[in-house]
Amino acid sequence: MRITDVHIHQPCGLLRLRTDTELEGWCPGVDESSAGHILRSCRETVVGADPMERERLWNELVRLDRFAYLPHSVRGYLDVALWDLAAKACGVPVFRLIGGFRDRLPAYKMGPNLPTVGDFVEAAVTARDEGFFGYKDHCYHGPETMIEVARQGRRAVGPDFHLMHDAVQTYTYPQALRVGRALEEEGYFWFEEPLRDYDLMGLKRLADALDVPIAAAEYLPGSAFSTSQMLARQAVDIVRASVPWRGGITDMLKIARLAESFGVNCEITSKGVGFGFVHAHVIGALRNCTWFEATATGSQGGEPLIRNPLHLTDGHLPVPQSPGLGLELDWAAVERETSAVMGA
């Protein structure tokens, strides 16, 4: 089997790797800018290639990151479609092609920045009552407000519900230390992105000073190569990764296996590209990832393009069992949502 062409439907964002067989590899969610980069800079690399040679293609696409000045998310879309295609050719779901670990993923709920302390507390209680196993806030109102969120939130949800705080790299070191002490007192599951990813010295000082696990690297360029520097310096307790922010499925696996060798978890962030399908398969193949990150109960999205959207049940997300990513596309809906097919 050989790849014969790359087509990307816009504005719906469906990438299709066409082949000399009836099989195709798919990746939903490709924006127009990324589609242009793919067709201008990456098309020659994948057309004519054997999709089973994903490692060779990944290395060539990594090289293009630098030589074509590409955003590191660009190769991620192609890599997802390559895995989808290879697993379809083998007649197995992606997570089993990788080497399946589980087929049901516990989920926590992620919430936005909210106006008041009371709103954060209410959101955590709601997540608990909806059946999630934890709640992660994005509080950007400064250390004192966050400390109050932690204290009131823990009292409201009780001792057994997991809480996480994501600062999105907004604190100075003294602020992060003060917040971290409060999170420790309230038994938080992790403290995410307290400092900028490039501040390895600051992150290490913080990880050494605090018992609450420090999570970072969600948006760190450089795939496993840059992550190795964090881990070698023991600058973090948990690494974060996501498709497409840090690349594709191959990147996630390299990062997760690297972290595993250090005895560290790789927690996959957000539902990712593909309405949860991609991250479900990645997490389903990992031992050292605890959670699926969701924003709502029930459907994880994709309608009307996808006939079989993923649904949370009893706080868990099932890993799709059909070959490839397991996406069932509604082609009539794809056509309605397509004004142009780039590359055709």
Side-chain angles (χ1 to χ4, degrees):
M1 180 171 58
R2 297 282 170 177
I3 297 168
T4 58
D5 217 337
V6 182
H7 292 168
I8 307 172
H9 294 246
Q10 289 295 335
C12 69
L14 175 65
L15 183 151
R16 300 165 65 189
L17 292 182
R18 313 296 296 271
T19 72
D20 54 7
T21 73
E22 73 281 0
L23 296 176
E24 295 184 359
W26 300 333
C27 179
V30 183
D31 61 274
E32 187 174 359
S33 175
S34 296
H37 284 302
I38 289 168
L39 295 172
R40 287 191 301 271
S41 302
C42 305
R43 189 177 195 168
E44 289 185 7
T45 297
V46 297
V47 170
D50 181 343
M52 294 300 181
E53 296 179 350
R54 291 179 307 286
E55 185 66 20
R56 182 185 65 79
L57 291 170
W58 181 86
N59 276 275
E60 181 59 22
L61 292 170
V62 168
R63 187 188 71 83
L64 285 174
D65 277 1
R66 174 65 184 87
F67 283 89
Y69 294 95
L70 298 179
H72 49 272
S73 59
V74 167
R75 72 168 181 276
Y77 299 117
L78 284 169
D79 188 72
V80 166
L82 286 166
W83 276 96
D84 180 50
L85 180 53
K88 286 173 177 172
C90 294
V92 296
V94 166
F95 84 105
R96 295 201 184 278
L97 182 63
I98 297 168
F101 181 73
R102 56 189 157 174
D103 58 12
R104 190 167 177 260
L105 313 175
Y108 70 82
K109 188 176 184 179
M110 173 186 68
N113 188 30
L114 296 168
T116 70
V117 171
D119 292 325
F120 284 108
V121 174
E122 182 181 355
V125 171
T126 298
R128 182 199 62 186
D129 294 345
E130 288 173 335
F132 288 97
F133 292 91
Y135 180 77
K136 188 182 84 172
D137 73 74
H138 286 86
C139 177
Y140 308 148
H141 299 301
E144 302 312 318
T145 299
M146 182 57 222
I147 289 169
E148 197 59 30
V149 167
R151 289 173 178 162
Q152 292 191 30
R154 176 54 72 199
R155 286 198 296 270
V157 300
D160 299 325
F161 187 70
H162 298 292
L163 293 172
M164 305 88 156
H165 170 46
D166 187 349
V168 195
Q169 307 185 22
T170 57
Y171 294 136
T172 64
Y173 177 82
Q175 290 174 330
L177 186 63
R178 190 160 73 254
V179 171
R181 295 291 189 208
L183 301 186
E184 283 180 347
E185 292 175 4
E186 304 303 337
Y188 266 57
F189 197 76
W190 72 55
F191 184 6
E192 185 172 344
E193 291 199 311
L195 304 173
R196 298 304 297 264
D197 279 340
Y198 52 69
D199 186 6
L200 293 182
M201 293 178 64
L203 285 168
K204 177 167 176 52
R205 287 176 63 203
L206 201 62
D208 289 344
L210 296 174
D211 290 330
V212 61
I214 301 301
E218 176 177 318
Y219 204 67
L220 183 70
S223 191
F225 307 110
S226 55
T227 308
S228 68
Q229 305 303 305
M230 279 189 162
L231 291 168
R233 288 168 172 77
Q234 297 181 307
V236 294
D237 304 295
I238 296 168
V239 296
R240 296 288 264 161
S242 178
V243 179
W245 295 341
R246 300 206 66 198
I249 292 174
T250 300
D251 295 85
M252 300 305 98
L253 297 178
K254 288 178 182 289
I255 292 167
R257 303 307 188 212
L258 169 69
E260 187 176 32
S261 72
F262 280 86
V264 168
N265 266 22
C266 175
E267 297 290 346
I268 306 301
T269 176
S270 84
K271 65 183 179 182
V273 69
F275 312 106
F277 279 81
V278 175
H279 282 181
H281 282 284
V282 172
I283 300 170
L286 300 180
R287 181 190 66 83
N288 61 325
C289 181
T290 311
W291 310 107
F292 177 84
E293 183 175 281
T295 56
T297 56
S299 171
Q300 298 306 293
E303 302 96 335
L305 299 183
I306 297 175
R307 293 182 181 275
N308 61 331
L310 299 181
H311 286 80
L312 283 168
T313 305
D314 298 326
H316 289 81
L317 188 79
V319 180
Q321 298 294 315
S322 300
L325 292 172
L327 291 163
E328 296 176 11
L329 293 176
D330 183 333
W331 286 106
V334 170
E335 290 181 7
R336 286 195 301 270
E337 298 295 326
T338 298
S339 60
V341 180
M342 298 176 68

